[in-house]
Amino acid sequence: MTAQPSTLEGKVAIVTGGGGGIGRAVCRHMARLGAHIVVNDLGVSVAGDSEAAKAADVVVETIRAEGGEAVANTLSVTERASGRAMVEQAMDVFGRLDIVINNAGIIRMGAFDEAAESDWQGVLRTNLYGAVYLSHAAAQVFVRQRSGAFVHMSSAGGLIGSTGQTNYGAAKLGIVGLSQTLARDLGPLGIRSNCMVPSSTSRMTELTDNARRHLMTPEALDNLRRARQASVPDHMAPVIAFLGSDAAAGVNGQIIGARGSELYLYGHPAPRRDLSSRNGWSPGWLADNLAAAWEPFLTPLEVITDVFRWAPAPGSAPSDS
């Protein structure tokens, strides 16, 4: 039996950070598949600073020129009221809400001991709390209608690790906890929640790649360069759209990565080894037993380029048919 394609005809989606990069590609791709889109974008730099252009309006104009339906939303995801307003806009304009893509994110890199409070607040409020606020507002609609799909954008910087990104990594790993708990709590009601971990060329990846260039071997740097070339935003969009579609009805609580032509199913953290003592854990017992017993099995502290040591083959252009 052939599975149904991931059509989105008649579905309504909210995409945060939809004005550029992966967000823009997702908005356009989902609109071509028949979805009506609320394009949310505040119009800021990768650090969260104000920019003049209203990127959401530009994407809406493009979608309409291609025959699709979309409206712009320029509210900041960092405010709880914005989540409610986006949901209300979708209901008022299109009459329903089916999919939420929590894509908005910023990055402020630097040494942990030198990071300002504003750097933490900005990243956490945008990347994590922004997803919480919109998800909470959307969940109330999803629960009433007993259907809906969340797709949250996480990062290998949180799942695996990177350098100079403590705030970003904490926020992106928090997204995973949010998604998996939503999947468990709301799954029985017909509501799905998954994480997408993309590797794609964007303003953000250019910033992070340049910042860690001096820490990488020439081979690792070349693999990263080729991986970015193979992974443009348009290659990520079909996977994200699929996760929001009815074709992915059996996929819930998962973490899916994408690079070029390759997809990855990430596992969830789980116990790896057991060690027990009938007489309790005294300092002496721990010193004599724990390190020696577990040393061969300790999780190495790797960064993204340690895990992905090869460059993927280029992904093909998406087909909307």
Side-chain angles (χ1 to χ4, degrees):
M1 180 178 177
T2 303
Q4 293 297 313
S6 54
T7 178
L8 297 174
E9 194 67 40
K11 300 287 189 182
V12 175
I14 298 173
V15 181
T16 66
I22 292 176
R24 175 175 55 203
V26 169
C27 288
R28 295 182 64 187
H29 181 75
M30 293 179 74
R32 294 187 193 115
L33 294 178
H36 303 326
I37 314 293
V38 177
V39 182
N40 164 264
D41 201 291
L42 183 60
V44 297
S45 69
V46 293
D49 302 319
S50 296
E51 292 185 346
K54 294 298 182 184
D57 293 325
V58 174
V59 174
V60 168
E61 291 174 4
T62 301
I63 289 173
R64 290 176 176 171
E66 295 172 342
E69 294 289 336
V71 293
N73 180 286
T74 57
L75 297 176
S76 171
V77 298
T78 63
E79 302 296 331
R80 179 178 289 275
S82 298
R84 294 193 298 267
M86 279 185 261
V87 171
E88 290 171 359
Q89 184 179 12
M91 300 298 290
D92 290 344
V93 176
F94 298 122
R96 59 185 294 135
L97 178 62
D98 303 283
I99 303 164
V100 165
I101 312 294
N102 280 311
N103 171 71
I106 64 171
I107 190 166
R108 295 177 182 173
M109 299 182 65
F112 176 63
D113 59 307
E114 298 175 357
E117 176 67 15
S118 60
D119 291 338
W120 273 89
Q121 290 292 338
V123 170
L124 289 175
R125 288 179 65 84
T126 302
N127 298 14
L128 179 56
Y129 279 84
V132 171
Y133 294 152
L134 177 55
S135 297
H136 182 261
Q140 296 172 56
V141 174
F142 289 171
V143 168
R144 287 198 301 269
Q145 66 192 24
R146 292 298 194 269
S147 66
F150 296 101
V151 183
H152 313 275
M153 306 301 283
S154 186
S155 170
L159 290 168
I160 298 172
S162 190
T163 55
Q165 300 179 22
T166 314
N167 48 8
Y168 184 79
K172 288 301 186 180
L173 196 54
I175 284 285
V176 173
L178 169 68
S179 180
Q180 292 181 1
T181 304
L182 288 176
R184 293 186 185 97
D185 290 354
L186 303 182
L189 302 178
I191 301 161
R192 296 178 293 108
S193 180
N194 293 286
C195 279
M196 178 72 182
V197 182
S199 173
S200 178
T201 51
S202 68
R203 295 182 302 171
M204 187 176 293
T205 56
E206 287 177 6
L207 175 66
T208 59
D209 292 351
N210 288 335
R212 62 187 176 186
R213 185 181 300 271
H214 67 287
L215 300 173
M216 301 169 63
T217 65
E219 180 183 9
L221 187 60
D222 185 59
N223 281 338
L224 180 62
R225 178 186 59 79
R226 290 190 287 141
R228 297 302 191 202
Q229 291 177 340
S231 305
V232 299
D234 285 344
H235 297 157
M236 307 291 111
V239 186
I240 297 167
F242 167 78
L243 291 174
S245 75
D246 293 340
V251 183
N252 189 33
Q254 303 306 304
I255 308 168
I256 296 173
R259 290 197 323 151
S261 61
E262 301 172 347
L263 294 176
Y264 308 94
L265 180 63
Y266 283 84
H268 295 178
R272 298 183 62 184
R273 304 295 298 179
D274 174 73
L275 188 63
S276 61
S277 170
R278 294 181 179 180
N279 299 316
W281 301 323
S282 67
W285 185 91
L286 290 168
D288 291 339
N289 293 278
L290 192 147
W294 282 356
E295 184 177 6
F297 309 101
L298 295 176
T299 302
L301 288 176
E302 298 175 310
V303 294
I304 299 167
T305 49
D306 293 328
V307 175
F308 297 107
R309 296 178 180 271
W310 66 99
S316 60
S319 172
D320 300 318
S321 59

